Amino acid sequence: MWYTYLCSLNKTTIMEVYIMKKFECTACGYIYDEELGDPDNGVAPGTKWEDVPEDWVCPLCGVGKEDFEEVS
Ligand SMILES: [Zn+2]
């Protein structure tokens, strides 16, 4: 009985961990990684995609955020 309880407890803990997401430029394949950010262009490591400025563009090809897709 206590074992089952511990298992369900672990599952809850895992669910609560925020998973860093990655987004891929559909034009050139550049990957924006939330964990790494884009420090060369003023985006600090750990910046969530929704917190990246709307005027940020792909450092490789210059397209905007709307041309990025989430990598699963
Ligand atoms: Zn690009």
Side-chain angles (χ1 to χ4, degrees):
M1 201 62 187
W2 60 272
Y3 180 76
T4 313
Y5 174 70
L6 276 184
C7 278
S8 59
L9 203 70
N10 273 341
K11 257 179 220 163
T12 310
T13 310
I14 290 165
M15 294 279 285
E16 281 171 1
V17 174
Y18 178 75
I19 298 162
M20 286 298 193
K21 292 178 188 167
K22 290 178 182 161
F23 294 82
E24 181 177 14
C25 175
T26 55
C28 76
Y30 169 84
I31 303 280
Y32 175 82
D33 188 331
E34 290 183 337
E35 206 175 339
L36 302 175
D38 183 16
D40 291 343
N41 294 291
V43 182
T47 303
K48 289 185 200 168
W49 182 245
E50 56 263 38
D51 294 332
V52 173
E54 287 306 316
D55 60 358
W56 180 86
V57 294
C58 174
L60 293 187
C61 72
V63 301
K65 283 176 72 180
E66 66 275 7
D67 288 312
F68 278 72
E69 273 180 3
E70 188 175 343
V71 180
S72 52

